[in-house]
Amino acid sequence: MAATFQRSLSLAIALQLGILLLFLSSIAFGDDVSRAAPDDEPAACGNDFRLVKVKRWVDGVEKEAIGGLTADFGSALPAHAEEGHRFSAVFADPLNGCSLSSSNVSGSIALTVRGDCIFTTKAKVAQAGQAAALIVINDEEGLVQMACGNDTTLNISIPVITISKSGGDELKKSIANGRKVELLLYSPDRPILDYSVIFLWLMAVGTVVSASLWSEITGPKQTDEHYNELSPQGSGSAADKDDEEKEIFHINAKSAIVFVITASTFLLLLYFFMSSWFIWFLIILFCIGGIEGMHNCMVSLVLSKFRGSEQKKMNLPLLGEVSIFSLAVLIFCVVFAVAWAATRKEPYSWIGQDILGICMMITVLQLAQLPNIKVATVLLCCAFVYDIFWVFLSPLIFQDSVMIAVAEGDKAGGESIPMLLRVPRIADPYYGYNMIGFGDILFPGLLVSFAFRFDKANTKGILNGYFLWLSIGYGVGLLFTYLALYLMDGHGQPALLYLVPCTLGTNSFPFLTLLYTLLCIPFCFVPRIIWLSPQIPGTCVLLGWIRGETKHLWNYDTDDARESNEQIEPGELA
């Protein structure tokens, strides 16, 4: 029963593989982003959309700052809090701010709610009432971009910003109790890239390398192997039993094509019907996968050092005979995952999310394997097209980048998708996170893991093999992604645009070169993308071509099966 229990958990994580790979979220910039104003705006509306910090004091006591976003009209805000001025906050009457307020907003920051009239009308009314600034409270979570549209007669000389619904609720609560609320508006510059990307890069590369070497890290030592050789042949070692129980999901070319269709459908469902309950469903799936991954990693690591730890067993109802050690680890993992889910909105929750995510990806890369480069080419090219389309080309159809919208969870009622590694931005005054999707680690990780198995099976050394160079190629591809993030002013990037060429490669196959070139055409009008989108010689294919092993890599599993059949003598089948 213990074997069945462990095998059922492995199957659970295998079943989640297809769902987890859907989330190819690009490396992001934080929770909210400053963007340039549209090019077709009138001259009076030339401001960029900039993030704002709203410092607040209630009866003289400073409270936590609220985030906001400037309009593309109105006066600019200072970059430093010391250059700003504190003003009292007053709600306009009527609250929509569409007509002159009966309450005195002169010399104060006027607070209005979104709706009933356009943003420029609210700004004109607030300025006519001699307000020092205008804050528009959004009617939902998130920050709306306030554009002046076709109003060419606009002459707004006061700052105009918007804040989220929750921020407005905080202000309403304070003012409704008769307390004095003072606000100070300023817009500090945020770094496009933060030092935290170094840590994120190390986590991504470390996950891929660790998953590839996991069998070596947790494998039996030579002394154990010698002991196993002296053991009776019928007994079998624990390692052999583990190998028998291990469920391997072999990816084929057909599943790669099905992935694109299924993933795109699921992504659209998330985009159109995303809600808090939908995100909760994904959180539960993530916790189940994280528990299995963490359990697998902890048990295999401990047993590799202390092989007698699993000998003590106990009988449980329904489960039968189970290892006490394995059960204790499972309980710990469940408590860890539940604790993360309960505190997922706390500032420190990223630690638990990353631990669960890394353990899960290591386990997935043990259960899912590529047989050869032919399947890897189909899978990674499909993922390549998928990532680019839903990040860069989907706005042409949906007026929004579907991938980024889903990853940010703007329609999820404050919840966010957990299928991301994230690290808080250290030097960012607005906080936020740098993020990378699981797919940007798992897809290249499948290829790197294959390279390690290929090197081991063909007794290749570190330098004349493929594993080291593909690991380096993956790291370089991530560096290109971060560089693109910087050059594109923080706009989310499809990481596979850079990772696939740096690992799999396109130059050695004409049809892949043509596909890659056509996909890059929509972005080549941007000079900076031209520099970032060359035909980078792919590490795996290029090395295989140089060494004359491309055919062997392309048909690796097929060749091995043929050789095995040829070695079997007819008499051995009897």
Side-chain angles (χ1 to χ4, degrees):
M1 286 295 293
T4 304
F5 178 63
Q6 178 66 28
R7 185 155 52 245
S8 65
L9 285 175
S10 297
L11 285 172
I13 188 69
L15 290 174
Q16 292 179 65
L17 175 63
I19 297 177
L20 295 177
L21 292 183
L22 299 177
F23 302 99
L24 302 180
S25 305
S26 305
I27 293 176
F29 28 72
D31 298 329
D32 296 297
V33 177
S34 303
R35 295 186 177 91
D39 294 334
D40 58 351
E41 290 284 7
C45 305
N47 296 346
D48 292 341
F49 297 111
R50 290 180 57 88
L51 289 175
V52 177
K53 296 202 77 171
V54 182
K55 297 188 71 173
R56 58 191 179 110
W57 293 262
V58 179
D59 289 338
V61 179
E62 186 172 358
K63 301 293 184 178
E64 184 180 359
I66 297 173
L69 186 71
T70 62
D72 70 346
F73 53 88
S75 63
L77 291 171
H80 304 283
E82 296 78 14
E83 301 171 358
H85 300 282
R86 289 167 62 170
F87 296 98
S88 60
V90 177
F91 274 104
D93 186 13
L95 195 56
N96 58 23
C98 296
S99 58
L100 199 60
S101 175
S102 60
S103 59
N104 184 16
V105 297
S106 177
S108 303
I109 296 178
L111 303 175
T112 65
V113 296
R114 181 182 180 183
D116 297 330
C117 60
I118 61 176
F119 297 121
T120 53
T121 299
K122 297 177 188 291
K124 290 177 181 178
V125 170
Q127 182 168 279
Q130 298 183 343
L134 171 65
I135 294 180
V136 179
I137 301 172
N138 198 8
D139 53 4
E140 59 185 19
E141 284 306 306
L143 302 174
V144 61
Q145 292 185 358
M146 298 189 296
C148 62
N150 298 321
D151 193 343
T152 57
T153 63
L154 196 63
N155 184 22
I156 302 299
S157 58
I158 61 173
V160 181
I161 73 165
T162 180
I163 61 175
S164 66
K165 182 178 183 297
S166 59
D169 291 341
E170 289 290 326
L171 296 179
K172 288 179 183 177
K173 188 186 303 181
S174 300
I175 295 177
N177 293 331
R179 292 179 288 182
K180 182 181 180 181
V181 176
E182 296 176 292
L183 304 177
L184 185 150
L185 312 180
Y186 69 110
S187 179
D189 295 325
R190 72 181 313 178
I192 296 174
L193 281 183
D194 190 85
Y195 303 119
S196 60
V197 298
I198 299 174
F199 189 37
L200 193 62
W201 184 90
L202 289 173
M203 282 201 302
V205 175
T207 300
V208 169
V209 173
S210 298
S212 302
L213 298 175
W214 197 253
S215 60
E216 299 296 310
I217 296 172
T218 61
K221 306 300 180 185
Q222 290 185 356
T223 55
D224 296 327
E225 291 174 355
H226 179 66
Y227 172 79
N228 292 336
E229 290 174 1
L230 298 177
S231 301
Q233 291 185 355
S235 63
S237 65
D240 293 335
K241 291 179 181 177
D242 289 343
D243 289 339
E244 291 174 3
E245 294 176 3
K246 194 173 184 181
E247 301 285 344
I248 302 298
F249 174 66
H250 295 282
I251 301 172
N252 54 42
K254 184 184 293 185
S255 63
I257 298 172
V258 171
F259 158 77
V260 175
I261 301 173
T262 306
S264 298
T265 303
F266 197 80
L267 193 67
L268 282 175
L269 288 175
L270 277 174
Y271 179 71
F272 287 112
F273 304 106
M274 182 182 288
S275 60
S276 58
W277 71 265
F278 207 154
I279 299 300
W280 260 109
F281 171 71
L282 298 178
I283 290 173
I284 293 172
L285 278 183
F286 173 75
C287 288
I288 294 173
I291 290 169
E292 160 61 10
M294 195 173 181
H295 179 267
N296 175 72
C297 291
M298 291 180 67
V299 169
S300 58
L301 274 176
V302 173
L303 292 183
S304 68
K305 305 299 180 183
F306 309 99
R307 298 194 62 81
S309 303
E310 207 173 26
Q311 291 180 355
K312 295 181 180 180
K313 300 182 182 296
M314 62 182 296
N315 286 313
L316 291 177
L318 300 178
L319 298 179
E321 191 179 57
V322 298
S323 164
I324 295 177
F325 169 72
S326 181
L327 182 62
V329 172
L330 179 61
I331 293 173
F332 171 79
C333 294
V334 171
V335 171
F336 186 92
V338 171
W340 168 81
T343 61
R344 68 194 179 282
K345 294 186 179 181
E346 298 297 327
Y348 53 79
S349 65
W350 65 275
I351 300 174
Q353 180 173 327
D354 289 352
I355 291 174
L356 291 170
I358 288 173
C359 291
M360 179 169 55
M361 284 188 286
I362 289 175
T363 301
V364 167
L365 290 174
Q366 305 304 304
L367 297 173
Q369 294 182 3
L370 291 172
N372 48 49
I373 295 300
K374 177 170 65 178
V375 175
T377 300
V378 176
L379 178 66
L380 290 180
C381 284
C382 287
F384 179 85
V385 173
Y386 170 85
D387 214 13
I388 291 176
F389 178 82
W390 291 112
V391 174
F392 280 156
L393 301 182
S394 58
L396 302 177
I397 303 173
F398 302 97
Q399 285 75 50
D400 200 1
S401 177
V402 173
M403 184 79 74
I404 294 177
V406 170
E408 291 178 345
D410 293 339
K411 305 175 184 178
E415 299 288 352
S416 59
I417 290 176
M419 281 71 173
L420 298 160
L421 292 186
R422 57 191 182 111
V423 179
R425 298 170 64 96
I426 301 170
D428 192 336
Y430 303 100
Y431 312 112
Y433 296 88
N434 281 312
M435 298 174 282
I436 183 170
F438 284 177
D440 298 330
I441 299 174
L442 287 173
F443 280 123
L446 289 169
L447 180 59
V448 175
S449 297
F450 164 78
F452 177 77
R453 295 194 306 274
F454 181 87
D455 289 351
K456 186 177 179 180
N458 292 273
T459 61
K460 288 183 174 291
I462 256 308
L463 294 179
N464 68 341
Y466 293 87
F467 170 69
L468 173 64
W469 305 112
L470 260 70
S471 299
I472 294 174
Y474 178 71
V476 170
L478 275 184
L479 290 178
F480 276 140
T481 309
Y482 290 122
L483 184 58
L485 188 65
Y486 172 76
L487 293 177
M488 293 300 292
D489 299 324
H491 188 280
Q493 294 295 304
L496 292 180
L497 172 65
Y498 313 97
L499 293 174
V500 171
C502 285
T503 51
L504 178 65
T506 58
N507 276 0
S508 299
F509 295 100
F511 73 94
L512 292 181
T513 302
L514 177 61
L515 174 63
Y516 186 61
T517 303
L518 290 175
L519 288 171
C520 289
I521 285 175
F523 322 118
C524 286
F525 63 88
V526 182
R528 291 172 294 187
I529 288 294
I530 295 176
W531 182 78
L532 282 169
S533 300
Q535 295 296 305
I536 305 170
T539 308
C540 185
V541 175
L542 181 63
L543 282 177
W545 178 73
I546 293 174
R547 296 170 179 173
E549 298 177 337
T550 303
K551 185 176 179 181
H552 187 34
L553 288 165
W554 188 260
N555 300 298
Y556 175 60
D557 248 11
T558 306
D559 291 345
D560 284 354
R562 188 185 302 115
E563 290 174 5
S564 299
N565 291 334
E566 290 173 354
Q567 290 174 1
I568 297 176
E569 297 296 333
E572 295 176 348
L573 297 175

